[in-house]
Amino acid sequence: MSLYRPLHDGWTVTAVSDERGIAGVPATVPGCVHTDLLAAGLIDDPYLDDNETRLTWIGRTTWAYETSFTWHAAGDGADRADLVCDGLDTVATVVLNGTEVAATANMHRSYRFPVRDLLREGANTLQVRFGSPYAYAEERKAELGPRPGPYDEPYQFIRKMACNFGWDWGPTLVTSGIWRPIGLHSWSGARVAAVRPVVTLDGGRGRVEAHVTVERAGRSEDPLVVTASVAGVFAETRLGPGEHEAVLTLEVPGPDPWWPRGYGGQPLYPLEVRLGQDDGAVADTWTRDIGFRSVRLDRTGEGFTIVVNDVPVFVRGANWIPDDCFPARVTGARLDDRLGQACDAGINLLRVWGGGLYESTDFYDRCDRRGLLVWQDFPFACAAYPEEEPFASEVEAEAREAVTRLAPHPSLVLWNGNNENIEGHADWGWREELGERTWGAGFYYDLLPRVVAELDPARPYWAGSPYSGAPGLPPNDPARGTIHIWDVWNREDYLRYGEYRPRFVAEFGFQGPPAYATLRRALTGGPPAVGSPALAHHQKAADGDAKLLRGLGAHLPAPTTFDDWHYLTQLNQARAVAFGIERFRSLAPYCMGTIMWQLNDCWPVVSWAAVDGDGRRKPLWYALRRVYADRLLTVQDAAVVVVNDTGAEWTGELSVARLSLAGEPLAKGTFPVSVPARGTLPVPLPASLAEAGDPAREVLTARLGEETALRFYAEDTQVAFPEAEFDVAAEPVPGGARVTVTARTLVRELALFPDRLDPAAEVDDMLVTLLPGAAATFLVRSPGELDLAALTAYPVLRCVNEAGR
């Protein structure tokens, strides 16, 4: 028999080491201290204003969670009863009926403790006491010696979500709590402790090696029968007395392959493992969906290409951070929204970044179903990590659990050892600071690859990012492996992307503010203002505000009001990232991937995200949808590059024209093109098109079928734009409004911001440039009635060359 009982009810939380008198506060499990105190009205929302700064005491406090539950031996009837803790954050002591069960210090692991002998008939009391994460980390730091990192925080000394301690986009909110489910599992005889399927596809034949681990209750030595089935194929083996491990191999002829989105379908097959006895009784079952596909990393010519089912995949990716500082608040519906936004933007891979978490099973399940590839960092980021005990054992235990847990997911295509730690050791002066102290090399070059090779041999492992493929090579070499590009944003204009010729870009990005409605919610003191302390608190990057303004450069005019600052810096973010992606896609197949920083935010903040902390799409998201489209035209130097990331040939006649700003043709050219599937074709332009007679008054356009491209010969601040003139009509439609803009002059980067009128409103398109006589229609969705006059006026309707600028 097997029975799982959640223990999520009746919890309270008490501050043990604080003098505020917080005791017996109702607590939600799964959850954390911050969300419990917020629900009780004992703290202000840490996402609003500068409330975060007054909550640092929470991470320096010892907290006790406690609940009571009833248990009856007769009703249980099991040989074993285990307390199963899927996630304890982080320095936890578990006490049942006054007896200490265990002490843990790793947020990234789950735990199972046998407690049958500690249970009492009737009422039982369970307490989980959480020590201060700061106290634990600072004690380890004092023992082992300091290690370099980007912030004055000790996150590398505790196995906990690093960005909990603050980042250049995130608040410092150091949590404690039971952050994943907890429950009592009663069972007899034997149970399936783990199943680790190694799934491959070769020559149209699928193969599953199901590695099954069985745990026996007490001294049970009964023979056991282990069966596995998938896609109508069945395998069986026996475990004799004392045996706990079995491998069942299933050969599946002709399964439908699982493909990344855009390459084919995502068929999933239930893999079922049963544990039974000779008399046919079933002791336990395990079921997960798997997909048949092969994956490898092609390093030909020092490149970096993810190959799925023998097809090279150009990665159109985004980095993923924890979607909330309090992960228990990330529901399945919220994941659906966020992953849907990724797919709708043309993204085919998410990199789960190393300063965060191994995400929930729900996350990977949804990626499986959507065909979203996952690159999984092990949780190490931007710092030197100690390799001494207890860290070495903790890292191996968490890695073994994570690799085993995530093995069934076809979406997972790469294990990555760390984020920027190899680069830090090589290029950031760490060696001098460290001396002979450890920094994590043993994890990235030995422990983690050994664990992956043993437990997940069908997936590639990469030691870190950026990384050139060997420890002795410069880690951030554009000609090898993966690189991160951060001179753009930190120091250089975004046109610098055009000077790069990388093999694979795993991080790059540019900042922009969140949506207006998001700022208004987060800053409660009135309309936001540039330079205000409230807005500054929601800018975590060093010198971030100055970099935003400096980044406008010659591209866009200097803002004079908050509304201009908001529009222009959002627009500049979109342009910068789009410029980089277009450049890197034009280099395919030499360059085989871009992973922009970043898809999402965890709170309302000025950041690199395309979707802000309230889930609203920034202008960058709309730009991503354009430059991550299956088919793309991009003007690079003196050529139009035709990018065809579809499975079919793209043929037609490319039409290119040099026009005056009034739309008058000055030169034209047509070029027959034939671009193979998954291919690129540069089409060189003659001087009559590549060069302008008057760069300030001309524009280049290109069209191939339904795809278009537009490039000005000069930066916007140097173009003699006419004052925008257009006709605009708005009409109500079910669920919102339809807005049609017809240009009488050139209209540059037309955008609608309906969230200024209704925080729930959103528009279907943005950043549209219209030539004279052209029209664009925008669909605005809103649950309420919109003011149509306000919808079609400043500051809701914007363009670069609007009247009065």
Side-chain angles (χ1 to χ4, degrees):
M1 64 88 64
S2 178
L3 176 66
Y4 177 80
R5 175 186 173 187
L7 298 176
H8 293 165
D9 297 330
W11 289 90
T12 61
V13 63
T14 295
V16 175
S17 64
D18 186 78
E19 298 178 354
R20 288 170 174 78
I22 297 174
V25 175
T28 298
V29 171
C32 72
V33 173
H34 287 76
T35 51
D36 291 331
L37 298 182
L38 180 62
L42 297 174
I43 62 172
D44 294 324
D45 189 335
Y47 287 5
L48 304 185
D49 303 316
D50 64 347
N51 295 338
E52 164 208 354
T53 61
R54 290 178 287 280
L55 303 179
T56 55
W57 60 274
I58 295 175
R60 297 188 176 276
T61 299
T62 297
W63 298 91
Y65 277 78
E66 188 167 312
T67 191
S68 297
F69 63 94
T70 58
W71 179 84
H72 298 288
D76 187 283
D79 299 331
R80 275 275 296 270
D82 294 343
L83 181 65
V84 181
C85 307
D86 287 344
L88 301 175
D89 174 20
T90 291
V91 186
T93 302
V94 181
V95 179
L96 179 60
N97 293 325
T99 299
E100 182 175 323
V101 174
T104 72
N106 194 330
M107 182 182 186
H108 303 303
R109 291 179 60 186
S110 65
Y111 299 91
R112 174 182 286 265
F113 308 118
V115 296
R116 178 67 175 78
D117 294 341
L118 298 179
L119 291 169
R120 297 173 180 169
E121 185 69 24
N124 290 259
T125 300
L126 175 62
Q127 184 187 80
V128 184
R129 179 175 293 208
F130 291 97
S132 159
Y134 273 115
Y136 177 92
E138 289 164 351
E139 185 177 336
R140 301 290 86 74
K141 179 179 178 179
E143 291 173 359
L144 299 170
R147 300 294 196 280
Y151 311 110
D152 188 22
E153 295 283 343
Y155 68 79
Q156 65 267 58
F157 293 94
I158 184 171
R159 295 309 296 152
K160 177 175 171 60
M161 182 169 76
C163 61
N164 238 192
F165 290 85
W167 219 261
D168 57 5
W169 38 258
T172 302
L173 295 168
V174 179
T175 56
S176 292
I178 304 169
W179 77 286
R180 279 181 169 163
I182 187 170
L184 197 64
H185 181 204
S186 301
W187 55 282
S188 296
R191 73 177 187 91
V192 177
V195 177
R196 177 173 51 84
V198 178
V199 184
T200 55
L201 182 67
D202 187 12
R205 293 187 63 84
R207 179 183 174 90
V208 181
E209 289 184 1
H211 297 252
V212 182
T213 301
V214 171
E215 184 181 13
R216 296 174 182 266
R219 302 187 177 209
S220 171
E221 297 293 340
D222 294 337
L224 297 170
V225 179
V226 185
T227 63
S229 61
V230 66
V233 178
F234 178 87
E236 179 178 297
T237 192
R238 295 175 63 83
L239 292 178
E243 293 183 326
H244 299 267
E245 305 282 341
V247 180
L248 296 93
T249 302
L250 301 102
E251 302 279 355
V252 181
D256 292 330
W258 185 96
W259 289 97
R261 61 181 309 272
Y263 287 73
Q266 292 79 43
L268 298 171
Y269 294 84
L271 170 65
E272 182 180 64
V273 173
R274 287 175 172 256
L275 181 64
Q277 300 171 338
D278 282 335
D279 61 5
V282 176
D284 201 5
T285 60
W286 177 99
T287 303
R288 296 287 188 280
D289 286 339
I290 63 169
F292 290 95
R293 58 102 183 96
S294 66
V295 61
R296 57 186 170 87
L297 195 58
D298 184 354
R299 295 294 329 286
T300 302
E302 301 286 355
F304 187 94
T305 302
I306 294 173
V307 180
V308 178
N309 300 334
D310 294 324
V311 176
V313 175
F314 186 94
V315 168
R316 295 179 261 163
N319 282 271
W320 172 274
I321 67 169
D323 204 51
D324 200 302
C325 298
F326 314 124
R329 300 203 298 198
V330 181
T331 63
R334 183 158 159 181
L335 285 173
D336 282 335
D337 287 345
R338 208 66 69 247
L339 298 180
Q341 288 168 325
C343 291
D344 290 344
I347 290 167
N348 64 11
L349 179 145
L350 293 175
R351 176 189 172 205
V352 181
W353 169 74
L357 302 161
Y358 307 102
E359 285 289 338
S360 67
T361 299
D362 278 350
F363 174 89
Y364 302 96
D365 283 344
R366 284 165 165 78
C367 290
D368 291 343
R369 294 196 294 270
R370 293 176 179 272
L372 266 173
L373 301 179
V374 175
W375 157 327
Q376 177 70 51
D377 282 10
F378 286 98
F380 302 91
C382 303
Y385 283 76
E387 298 174 40
E388 290 82 2
E389 294 296 345
F391 296 104
S393 295
E394 284 294 338
V395 168
E396 179 164 4
E398 80 176 50
R400 287 183 171 277
E401 177 181 343
V403 171
T404 298
R405 176 171 73 93
L406 302 185
H409 296 283
S411 57
L412 178 59
V413 293
L414 183 76
W415 290 102
N416 181 54
N418 70 87
N419 175 76
E420 297 186 345
N421 295 352
I422 295 172
E423 181 188 22
H425 185 259
D427 298 336
W428 297 351
W430 289 6
R431 298 182 195 190
E432 296 77 9
E433 187 174 344
L434 281 165
E436 298 300 316
R437 293 193 297 276
T438 58
W439 60 277
F443 297 151
Y444 317 136
Y445 297 137
D446 178 27
L447 173 61
L448 296 175
R450 178 161 39 86
V451 169
V452 172
E454 175 191 345
L455 301 182
D456 200 10
R459 282 189 183 89
Y461 170 85
W462 190 245
S465 190
Y467 186 57
S468 291
L473 295 174
N476 205 28
D477 181 356
R480 299 184 177 100
T482 62
I483 69 165
H484 296 185
I485 300 176
W486 285 115
D487 56 352
V488 177
W489 166 251
N490 282 314
R491 298 180 303 279
E492 302 285 346
D493 185 90
Y494 70 71
L495 296 181
R496 164 78 171 147
Y497 288 135
E499 301 175 28
Y500 276 92
R501 187 174 168 81
R503 307 308 304 265
F504 192 105
V505 190
E507 265 192 35
F508 68 105
F510 211 88
Q511 265 203 0
Y516 183 81
T518 299
L519 279 179
R520 284 304 306 265
R521 187 186 74 82
L523 310 180
T524 63
V530 177
S532 70
L535 181 57
H537 187 76
H538 291 256
Q539 164 62 275
K540 295 295 187 176
D543 202 27
D545 288 342
K547 290 174 183 176
L548 276 176
L549 293 175
R550 187 167 66 244
L552 294 174
H555 305 298
L556 290 165
T560 57
T561 66
F562 171 83
D563 290 331
D564 286 352
W565 174 88
H566 188 257
Y567 166 58
L568 293 171
T569 54
Q570 281 196 330
L571 172 58
N572 203 48
Q573 177 190 30
R575 286 189 182 179
V577 176
F579 182 88
I581 291 174
E582 288 192 36
R583 164 65 176 172
F584 305 141
R585 288 192 73 183
S586 76
L587 297 175
Y590 181 84
C591 174
M592 281 302 289
T594 65
I595 309 180
M596 56 81 61
W597 185 270
Q598 65 219 61
L599 174 68
N600 59 325
D601 266 330
C602 59
W603 77 310
V605 65
V606 180
S607 86
W608 296 264
V611 177
D612 73 21
D614 282 1
R616 294 186 177 92
R617 301 175 297 183
K618 293 160 66 171
L620 171 57
W621 183 91
Y622 298 88
L624 280 181
R625 185 175 61 180
R626 181 181 64 81
V627 297
Y628 269 165
D630 292 343
R631 289 177 169 177
L632 174 70
L633 301 180
T634 176
V635 181
Q636 299 290 322
D637 301 321
V640 174
V641 182
V642 185
V643 180
N644 177 25
D645 197 10
T646 73
E649 184 181 29
W650 188 12
T651 61
E653 194 166 75
L654 174 67
S655 299
V656 184
R658 179 164 61 92
L659 307 175
S660 72
L661 298 187
E664 300 158 339
L666 303 174
K668 292 183 179 181
T670 56
F671 311 87
V673 297
S674 179
V675 189
R678 313 294 175 191
T680 59
L681 177 69
V683 180
L685 298 178
S688 61
L689 293 170
E691 300 172 8
D694 184 350
R697 289 174 170 80
E698 297 176 14
V699 62
L700 182 76
T701 65
R703 177 180 293 276
L704 178 58
E706 298 298 315
E707 305 304 321
T708 62
L710 181 147
R711 192 197 72 177
F712 288 85
Y713 291 95
E715 294 297 328
D716 280 24
T717 55
Q718 299 159 354
V719 174
F721 287 119
E723 186 174 281
E725 297 179 6
F726 51 83
D727 298 314
V728 58
E731 58 180 331
V733 297
R738 181 185 296 115
V739 178
T740 301
V741 178
T742 304
R744 288 185 268 119
T745 65
L746 187 145
V747 179
R748 180 70 162 140
E749 301 283 21
L750 190 65
L752 269 171
F753 298 101
D755 63 290
R756 284 176 168 267
L757 305 177
D758 179 352
E762 59 182 9
V763 66
D764 66 338
D765 202 3
M766 194 179 286
L767 307 185
V768 177
T769 295
L770 298 176
L771 296 174
T777 298
F778 303 91
L779 182 63
V780 178
R781 292 181 291 275
S782 173
E785 185 176 343
L786 291 168
D787 181 338
L788 298 184
L791 186 63
T792 57
Y794 176 96
V796 177
L797 182 65
R798 301 299 305 264
C799 67
V800 171
N801 57 324
E802 61 200 359
R805 181 173 293 283

